[in-house]
Amino acid sequence: MCKLFSAPKFLAIGSIMLASAMSPSFAANISFGGVAASDGSGLTSQYMDPITGATVAGNYLIETFDAATGVPGFPGSTEYTKAGFENECAVNSINSSLLGVSVTADPTQIGIRKGSVKSVAAAPAGDNTCYGYLTNNGSGVATAVFDYTPMLAFFDNMYSDQAPFGITYLGFYWGSVDTYNSFKFYSGEQLVSSITGVELLAALQGSTGDQTSASSNTYVNIDFSLQEQFDKLVITTSGIAGEFDNLVVGITGQPIGQVSVPAPSAILLFALGMVGIGYTRAKRK
């Protein structure tokens, strides 16, 4: 049976409103805090159990970077998995399904692994599972793009009366936050909002690169308005490194002339099973 979180405590320490440089009418509500993950991966969204894929409310999908949480028949990609972790780590949202998420990055700058390696990557505090990281390898700026438009297009085509579908929530566990890390959110080519390491550390009074403190290892929750319809995440770093885990997205449709509605549960259940980042989970050995 799927295990739901019971009365999860949201450990929000504070919130900030970050307006897009493109349009002052766009703003995202950003807060900090999550719940202890049931799989030993540190923190996760209050909406999602990383092992069972069970949600507390609404329609949410999770990327854990753990191969064990993929769906048989649609194995995740090990393109970015570091040597020695091929049987444990994968990007489950990259697969042969039309519902897959498009991830674009230089393979030498992005990695999926377990554990910490000095001058390479540090696992987020309390995270004993697979996680993702981005590094500039000592020079320049490294970029990774998580593009959710293929999945959203599927919903738009199947339920045109509720289109456009968009991502109105995104959460992620940000480990050992550094001043040179940033997460940017786009609707198409338009920048909707962003959060930088400088802003997070200032809000929580944290120290850059601290690998254990709750003020620099925290779950970030971003709620977007319907007008934003977020569909693409761009992660950048100009140092070593930016670490993240338990990416959770919430999908919402906007019927013309009506209030927002969640994605139809039957088709979302199918979608989650197809892309391997939702309800049906393989049991860990």
Side-chain angles (χ1 to χ4, degrees):
M1 295 179 62
C2 289
K3 181 174 67 175
L4 296 174
F5 288 122
S6 59
K9 181 180 180 182
F10 184 45
L11 306 175
I13 306 173
S15 63
I16 52 179
M17 294 293 290
L18 298 180
S20 165
M22 299 295 292
S23 171
S25 63
F26 284 168
N29 183 25
I30 301 180
S31 60
F32 310 109
V35 296
S38 60
D39 64 344
S41 58
L43 297 176
T44 191
S45 170
Q46 61 172 335
Y47 301 121
M48 205 79 185
D49 185 305
I51 292 181
T52 67
T55 63
V56 175
N59 298 292
Y60 298 87
L61 303 86
I62 188 169
E63 171 62 81
T64 67
F65 302 110
D66 296 296
T69 59
V71 172
F74 291 94
S77 171
T78 56
E79 177 182 0
Y80 302 125
T81 301
K82 292 306 176 183
F85 298 98
E86 295 89 349
N87 295 327
E88 301 175 88
C89 307
V91 183
N92 293 313
S93 49
I94 303 178
N95 53 46
S96 58
S97 168
L98 293 176
L99 302 176
V101 176
S102 174
V103 179
T104 304
D106 183 334
T108 67
Q109 296 179 332
I110 189 172
I112 311 297
R113 62 168 301 119
K114 280 185 175 182
S116 301
V117 178
K118 187 177 180 180
S119 300
V120 175
D127 193 342
N128 300 313
T129 67
C130 300
Y131 66 93
Y133 70 91
L134 189 66
T135 176
N136 75 340
N137 294 313
S139 65
V141 178
T143 301
V145 179
F146 286 74
D147 188 349
Y148 298 92
T149 54
M151 180 172 60
L152 294 172
F154 173 85
F155 290 116
D156 287 343
N157 291 333
M158 290 295 294
Y159 289 86
S160 58
D161 61 326
Q162 296 177 17
F165 281 92
I167 297 173
T168 52
Y169 169 83
L170 184 138
F172 59 95
Y173 186 24
W174 194 349
S176 55
V177 178
D178 290 295
T179 56
Y180 46 75
N181 303 149
S182 72
F183 288 74
K184 299 179 180 179
F185 313 97
Y186 289 82
S187 177
E189 298 303 316
Q190 184 172 33
L191 177 66
V192 170
S193 190
S194 65
I195 180 168
T196 67
V198 171
E199 292 165 334
L200 185 149
L201 293 170
L204 301 185
Q205 298 182 336
S207 300
T208 184
D210 191 316
Q211 299 177 16
T212 59
S213 173
S215 60
S216 56
N217 292 263
T218 189
Y219 203 82
V220 181
N221 303 276
I222 308 102
D223 291 292
F224 300 87
S225 71
L226 289 173
Q227 291 75 23
E228 290 160 340
Q229 291 293 296
F230 156 71
D231 55 32
K232 185 165 57 179
L233 164 65
V234 178
I235 307 172
T236 65
T237 187
S238 57
I240 303 174
E243 297 90 353
F244 47 90
D245 200 358
N246 292 338
L247 273 67
V248 173
V249 296
I251 300 174
T252 302
Q254 186 179 8
I256 297 175
Q258 301 180 37
V259 296
S260 66
V261 297
S265 58
I267 196 63
L268 181 60
L269 179 61
F270 169 74
L272 291 172
M274 288 286 283
V275 299
I277 50 176
Y279 270 39
T280 306
R281 318 300 283 182
K283 291 184 178 179
R284 292 178 179 274
K285 294 182 179 180

